[in-house]
Amino acid sequence: MAYFIVLPFFAVLLVVLQRTLLDLVFGGRIGIEVSLILVVWAGFHLDMLRGGVLAFFLGFLLDCLSGTIMGLTTFVYVMLFVLSSLLSPRVYGERMLFIMAYVFLCVMLEGLFIFAVYWFIYGTDVSESLLRTTLPQALVAGVLSPAVFTLFNRLGGGVYAGEAR
Amino acid sequence: MFKKYLAVIVAFILIAVSLVILSQSLRRPGSPGIMKKLVFEVTAPVERGIHSSVDSVGGAWKRYLFLVGLEEENRELRKTIAALQGEVNYYREMSLEGSRLRKVLALEDSTVYPTIAARVVGNEGSSPFRTILINRGSRDGVKDGLPVISPDGVVGRVIEASWNYAKILLVTDYNSNIDALVQGSRAQGILQGGGQRLSRLKYVQRTEEVKVGETVVTSGLGGMFPKGLMLGTVARADKKDPGLFQTIEVVPSVDFSKIEEVLVLQTEKE
């Protein structure tokens, strides 16, 4: 229960930090999508209810704050969480190289989905955004993901310990 | 039995709900919901706090460790230049319009709209979506669709307004389409945002002679933006591509990474 009480506050804090302090690190050019790394982490470490609600909430917050198509990030985050969840029993998700490659792939998948929505629904070609924004973003997220995973392992452990008490 | 299928049921519900939100948004874009308004109201003050802390630390660093006084003066001068640039542009536009129509019509002075000054409280430069948050909402008279400007030119338009905050769709977003015209050649087109790239002026006939460096302003068509507001300058114009129209790229006049204060134009008649 403590998890669901902490979740909204934690999610709001994470999203705000991502949009402010972390956005400043690269001068607003390349964002570090920590929220997406958290969704992937949740796919490997949390059950469907906890992780799913977390992914949904994070996506919804980002849609509300910066999205122009409501529900786009929410849908992508939920799908990436479910995909990671399905994959988790089949692979060992603690290997550094695997985490890096998988997070890279997830960010690229998110970019491709946004590209597809713009292409098929609005008839707008945003392919250059894939190269200029998504690719560097995916590389940065991939490189930083093992450290972020370690951080979430500790934070997640803390919440579980709190619940157990 | 139920526990066995709980994960599948939860996954199904979450995917279905997110798909419903997405399809609703695609069908009826810009329809604000109470949840969105609440999210604005909760998160915007936190963002504002962090922004102002970062700004004040950064400002103090610049002011006291580097050129004391000069930086402030420079900022003021830049503001003045930007304001004058906008004014010159406005008068140039009015003059051109006047000389074309003097013989035909006696035009009334253009309406000056009331404005709402607002501070930018959220600006995520790295997001694929180009939006900003401002600290004025429906309580201050901000409504969906109202144009937002700065001394440098058009910033965008309001797409969602909660009680105290509003989200602005920048002119650089892919979803932004504004009726525009090139000031010198009077060529008309639609200025579409290009994300991180330059904006594109679409649907300009190949017969039009558009030159690099020409100013692009709002045409006043479409009813959303008043006529003559600065949008940017032509960076490239070529007719190499086959088809009815030429390719025109426009550099936006506003530097969106440094935007701090904006004005919302109350163009709607009460």
Side-chain angles (χ1 to χ4, degrees):
Chain A
M1 195 63 197
Y3 174 84
F4 291 103
I5 297 167
V6 173
L7 176 89
F9 299 102
F10 175 71
V12 166
L13 193 69
L14 182 86
V15 166
V16 169
L17 282 175
Q18 180 175 302
R19 284 168 46 85
T20 51
L21 289 179
L22 292 178
D23 201 52
L24 286 173
V25 174
F26 289 96
R29 290 182 185 277
I30 304 167
I32 308 166
E33 215 174 339
V34 180
S35 51
L36 193 139
I37 305 176
L38 176 59
V39 167
V40 174
W41 176 86
F44 285 97
H45 293 85
L46 298 183
D47 58 66
M48 192 58 82
L49 186 62
R50 288 162 192 251
V53 171
L54 175 71
F56 184 90
F57 202 73
L58 282 170
F60 187 77
L61 276 178
L62 282 167
D63 270 333
C64 285
L65 288 169
S66 58
T68 54
I69 305 167
M70 191 67 198
L72 187 62
T73 317
T74 314
F75 180 70
V76 172
Y77 274 22
V78 169
M79 288 309 288
L80 288 177
F81 167 75
V82 172
L83 185 74
S84 308
S85 244
L86 292 174
L87 205 67
S88 63
R90 291 164 182 83
V91 294
Y92 177 62
E94 296 298 327
R95 272 182 303 181
M96 194 188 277
L97 264 178
F98 171 78
I99 295 169
M100 289 166 86
Y102 186 70
V103 167
F104 173 83
L105 192 75
C106 284
V107 180
M108 287 308 291
L109 275 175
E110 186 194 20
L112 279 170
F113 187 75
I114 293 170
F115 167 77
V117 166
Y118 273 97
W119 181 264
F120 291 113
I121 293 168
Y122 297 109
T124 307
D125 180 10
V126 299
S127 55
E128 209 167 320
S129 158
L130 267 178
L131 291 172
R132 284 194 183 199
T133 314
T134 312
L135 187 64
Q137 209 158 306
L139 285 169
V140 171
V143 168
L144 293 178
S145 55
V148 181
F149 259 56
T150 311
L151 180 74
F152 289 142
N153 279 339
R154 286 185 188 172
L155 281 174
V159 173
Y160 276 120
E163 289 218 343
R165 272 199 293 273
Chain B
M1 181 71 181
F2 178 72
K3 269 193 173 177
K4 194 179 170 187
Y5 294 107
L6 182 67
V8 181
I9 294 165
V10 169
F12 180 77
I13 290 171
L14 289 173
I15 292 170
V17 172
S18 54
L19 261 178
V20 166
I21 297 172
L22 181 59
S23 63
Q24 281 293 316
S25 154
L26 290 171
R27 234 182 276 170
R28 285 184 298 165
S31 52
I34 190 87
M35 283 302 290
K36 275 196 249 180
K37 288 185 177 182
L38 284 173
V39 168
F40 277 2
E41 295 295 321
V42 171
T43 50
V46 186
E47 276 207 43
R48 190 182 175 181
I50 293 176
H51 258 295
S52 54
S53 315
V54 170
D55 285 350
S56 59
V57 170
W61 175 258
K62 277 181 193 166
R63 272 192 292 277
Y64 295 108
L65 294 183
F66 291 103
L67 306 163
V68 182
L70 273 180
E71 197 240 338
E72 190 66 37
E73 191 185 345
N74 196 19
R75 194 186 298 162
E76 285 304 315
L77 286 171
R78 277 177 195 276
K79 267 187 194 171
T80 314
I81 290 169
L84 288 171
Q85 188 74 47
E87 219 167 291
V88 165
N89 193 58
Y90 175 77
Y91 288 129
R92 193 184 293 158
E93 179 62 21
M94 289 300 108
S95 159
L96 282 167
E97 188 179 55
S99 60
R100 275 186 291 110
L101 299 175
R102 198 174 294 132
K103 292 171 191 169
V104 189
L105 292 166
L107 282 181
E108 288 177 5
D109 287 341
S110 70
T111 315
V112 177
Y113 298 103
T115 57
I116 304 161
R119 190 175 286 276
V120 177
V121 293
N123 184 3
E124 192 187 5
S126 59
S127 168
F129 310 107
R130 320 297 293 169
T131 56
I132 55 170
L133 284 182
I134 59 168
N135 68 342
R136 291 282 182 267
S138 52
R139 274 189 190 150
D140 308 287
V142 175
K143 290 176 190 168
D144 286 5
L146 291 184
V148 181
I149 60 166
S150 78
D152 296 327
V154 178
V155 173
R157 66 181 162 90
V158 179
I159 52 167
E160 274 156 28
S162 71
W163 300 285
N164 296 302
Y165 297 92
K167 184 156 79 173
I168 313 300
L169 180 79
L170 300 181
V171 291
T172 49
D173 189 272
Y174 290 109
N175 275 337
S176 169
N177 290 286
I178 300 172
D179 271 291
L181 67 92
V182 183
Q183 212 167 37
S185 61
R186 315 308 295 173
Q188 288 196 358
I190 304 283
L191 187 77
Q192 186 188 36
Q196 301 263 7
R197 292 176 300 164
L198 299 178
S199 301
R200 290 191 82 169
L201 188 60
K202 292 160 63 173
Y203 312 121
V204 175
Q205 301 280 343
R206 295 174 72 85
T207 48
E208 301 281 2
E209 285 304 323
V210 177
K211 290 172 195 146
V212 172
E214 278 193 290
T215 304
V216 179
V217 294
T218 51
S219 69
L221 299 172
M224 196 166 277
F225 290 89
K227 193 174 183 177
L229 297 175
M230 176 81 164
L231 284 166
T233 45
V234 176
R236 187 170 77 93
D238 72 52
K239 301 174 182 175
K240 285 175 194 163
D241 292 337
L244 289 170
F245 309 110
Q246 49 184 304
T247 308
I248 299 172
E249 287 186 334
V250 176
V251 185
S253 57
V254 178
D255 183 353
F256 294 100
S257 64
K258 290 173 184 160
I259 193 160
E260 288 173 50
E261 290 97 17
V262 294
L263 289 175
V264 181
L265 292 183
Q266 288 185 296
T267 51
E268 279 185 3
K269 289 185 177 78
E270 292 297 325

